[in-house]
Amino acid sequence: MKQNSSGLIGKEEDIKALESKKGARILVYSDSHGNAGIVEQILLNYGKACDMLVFCGDGICDLAQILSKAEYDKKLSQAIPKVICFVQGNGDPGTYPVTDNYSLKNHRMQNFVVNHKIFLAVHGHYQGVDWGLENLGMDAQLTNSSVAFYGHTHVAREETIGNYKFINPGSCARPRGGQPKSFAIVTVEDNFVDTAFIKIEFTGLETKYTLWQPF
């Protein structure tokens, strides 16, 4: 899987197919901070059932490690969604090597289209999401995006303000505010966008994934 000129990873035909795909499922995670193993397990459990992966920053090294491993690990390769969107977190470099001749080029903002809806992905530090969503809302408006994904706060949250929906999947490695480690699966239908938050619990040698509401 290689990054194309749009900044997304995936074949042009797969990216194009997503633009009109009904009932598309997006796996969204953020702030893995060097915990590639957690991301890999999320993908092995949920990636195959999703059409797209969105990473909201702070852990680009983990995504690069997984893409490198997928080149020789068939099971992992089959679990990675066909299209990947990722953005630069405040702890991420502008580029990160995957192989000797292939590097991920990080972007501060990334737009993509799913089921005729425009989405925006950011990390959130440039928009000051620690203090509110006003600036992120302006970026959504400027890019004609109806849904914005963001991270940075390490706090899972979903909020609709006017015509815009804002979704933070929480942190899959270092949650804050008393929340569990988490990620989200977003289903894009014709008339609505549905978010399922999933918490990660480690019980002995077993990892448990459970639906929850972070409100």
Side-chain angles (χ1 to χ4, degrees):
M1 300 179 74
K2 296 296 174 97
Q3 188 175 11
N4 61 36
S5 58
S6 70
L8 300 176
I9 296 176
K11 296 179 180 178
E12 293 289 348
E13 56 264 33
D14 292 326
I15 296 171
K16 188 67 177 177
L18 265 180
E19 294 181 2
S20 58
K21 182 174 176 59
K22 298 179 183 295
R25 302 182 80 193
I26 306 172
L27 175 57
V28 188
Y29 81 97
S30 188
D31 296 279
S32 56
H33 287 281
N35 290 274
I38 293 177
V39 180
E40 181 176 339
Q41 289 304 309
I42 291 171
L43 286 168
L44 289 172
N45 281 278
Y46 292 92
K48 192 176 292 187
C50 294
D51 303 287
M52 185 175 190
L53 176 68
V54 174
F55 165 56
C56 295
D58 272 2
I60 189 65
C61 56
D62 306 318
L63 178 60
Q65 181 177 325
I66 287 168
L67 293 177
S68 295
K69 185 176 180 179
E71 292 184 1
Y72 61 84
D73 186 326
K74 185 176 180 180
K75 184 178 180 181
L76 178 58
S77 178
Q78 292 175 340
I80 298 175
K82 293 181 179 180
V83 180
I84 300 173
C85 168
F86 63 98
V87 290
Q88 182 179 9
N90 56 298
D92 293 325
T95 60
Y96 200 93
V98 178
T99 64
D100 290 340
N101 57 5
Y102 169 43
S103 294
L104 297 177
K105 183 179 179 182
N106 240 325
H107 297 265
R108 295 180 180 179
M109 299 173 59
Q110 182 73 61
N111 283 107
F112 56 91
V113 179
V114 178
N115 196 5
H116 307 292
K117 296 176 178 63
I118 302 175
F119 287 75
L120 171 67
V122 302
H123 183 58
H125 56 304
Y126 287 109
Q127 289 79 17
V129 295
D130 284 310
W131 297 278
L133 299 176
E134 291 82 5
N135 291 333
L136 181 55
M138 291 178 61
D139 283 337
Q141 184 176 14
L142 288 171
T143 56
N144 295 315
S145 304
S146 57
V147 181
F149 296 126
Y150 70 103
H152 188 57
T153 65
H154 295 216
V155 176
R157 179 184 180 187
E158 180 180 32
E159 186 172 352
T160 299
I161 302 175
N163 296 322
Y164 305 98
K165 184 185 286 288
F166 304 93
I167 301 170
N168 188 323
S171 171
C172 65
R174 301 179 184 176
R176 296 172 183 159
Q179 291 190 346
K181 299 174 181 178
S182 66
F183 60 97
I185 294 179
V186 176
T187 303
V188 187
E189 298 288 358
D190 288 341
N191 299 317
F192 64 89
V193 174
D194 179 71
T195 308
F197 290 95
I198 301 174
K199 66 179 178 180
I200 308 168
E201 298 176 283
F202 300 101
T203 56
L205 299 176
E206 183 182 6
T207 303
K208 186 178 179 181
Y209 302 95
T210 311
L211 288 170
W212 74 300
Q213 288 291 342
F215 313 116

